[in-house]
C-alpha cells in the first residue's frame, strides 16, 4: 500500500463513518456538524481551534458550525474561566438527550456494508484487522487529544 492508497482508505472509512453517524444520530445534521458534535462527545469543553485540529476542518468552518449548533440548542459557548480570551464549546442537555436516543454507534454494520462484495471470510478478516488497528491507534489518538485539549483526555 502506498501513501495515496492509505489516504484514500482513510477517507473512505471516514466518509462511511460520517454517513452512518448521520443516519444514526439525526438526519438533519451535516457531516461537518456530526464531526464537530463527535469531538464534543469524546471530550467536552474544547475550543473551536481544538475542534478544528481534531476534525480536520478549517477553523472558520468549525466556528460557523459551532454557532449554528449553539443556535439549535445542541452546544453552548462559554468563556474559559482560566483565560477569559478563550471560548469553550460544551454539550447541552439537548445534545446529551439526542445522543442517548440514538442507536449504537457500533461500526460493524457500516464496515460489513462497505465490504459486502467480499466473501464473508475476507470481510470478517478485514473487520478483525480494523478492530486491531483501532486498538493500536487509540493510545496515539488519546495522546493527540491530550495535546490538543489543554491536558484533558
Amino acid at each position: 500500500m502506498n501513501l495515496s492508497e492509505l489516504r484514500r482508505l482513510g477517507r473512505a472509512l471516514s466518509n462511511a463513518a460520517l454517513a452512518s453517524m448521520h443516519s444514526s444520530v439525526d438526519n438533519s445534521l451535516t457531516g461537518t456538524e456530526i464531526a464537530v458534535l463527535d469531538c464534543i462527545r469524546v471530550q467536552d469543553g474544547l475550543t473551536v481551534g481544538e475542534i478544528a485540529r481534531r476534525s480536520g476542518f478549517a477553523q472558520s468552518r468549525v466556528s460557523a458550525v459551532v454557532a449554528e449548533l449553539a443556535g439549535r440548542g445542541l452546544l453552548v459557548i462559554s468563556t474559559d474561566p482560566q483565560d477569559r480570551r478563550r471560548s469553550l464549546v460544551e454539550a447541552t442537555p439537548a445534545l446529551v438527550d439526542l445522543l442517548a436516543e440514538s442507536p449504537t454507534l457500533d461500526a460493524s454494520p457500516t464496515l460489513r456494508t462497505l465490504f459486502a462484495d467480499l466473501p464473508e471470510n475476507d470481510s470478517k478478516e478485514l473487520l478483525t484487522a480494523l478492530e486491531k488497528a483501532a486498538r493500536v491507534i487509540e493510545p496515539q489518538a488519546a495522546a493527540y487529544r491530550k495535546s490538543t485539549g489543554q491536558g484533558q483526555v
Side-chain angles (χ1 to χ4, degrees), residues 8-9 24 54 58 61 71 78 83 92 94 109 111 121 123 149 152:
R8 284 192 302 276
L9 173 62
S24 293
R54 291 176 185 203
R61 177 70 181 128
S78 61
D83 183 350
T92 63
L111 292 170
N121 234 16
S123 179
Q152 303 168 348

Side-chain angles (χ1 to χ4, degrees), residues 75-106:
L75 297 175
V76 64
I77 304 166
S78 61
T79 302
D80 184 343
Q82 296 177 338
D83 183 350
R84 302 199 51 78
R85 296 170 295 173
R86 290 170 26 116
S87 295
L88 302 177
V89 180
E90 299 172 307
T92 63
L95 176 58
V96 173
D97 290 346
L98 175 68
L99 295 175
E101 294 169 4
S102 300
T104 178
L105 294 179
D106 177 24

Side-chain angles (χ1 to χ4, degrees), residues 12-21 23-24 104-116 123 127:
L13 292 172
S14 179
N15 289 339
L18 284 174
S20 293
M21 290 170 85
S23 62
S24 293
T104 178
L105 294 179
D106 177 24
S108 299
T110 300
L111 292 170
R112 280 195 286 278
T113 300
L114 196 60
F115 305 141
S123 179
L127 185 58

Side-chain angles (χ1 to χ4, degrees), residues 1 3 10 15 27 29-30 32-33 40 42 48 53 58 65 74 77 79 84 94 103 106 114 121-122 131 139 142 153:
M1 171 182 295
L3 293 175
N15 289 339
N27 280 323
L29 296 170
T30 68
T32 307
E33 290 170 335
I40 296 301
V42 171
V48 168
R53 283 190 294 279
V65 166
L74 296 175
I77 304 166
T79 302
R84 302 199 51 78
D106 177 24
L114 196 60
N121 234 16
D122 290 349
E131 288 170 347
V153 177

Side-chain angles (χ1 to χ4, degrees), residues 124-134:
K124 284 181 182 179
E125 281 182 32
L126 269 175
L127 185 58
T128 299
L130 285 170
E131 288 170 347
K132 286 180 183 178

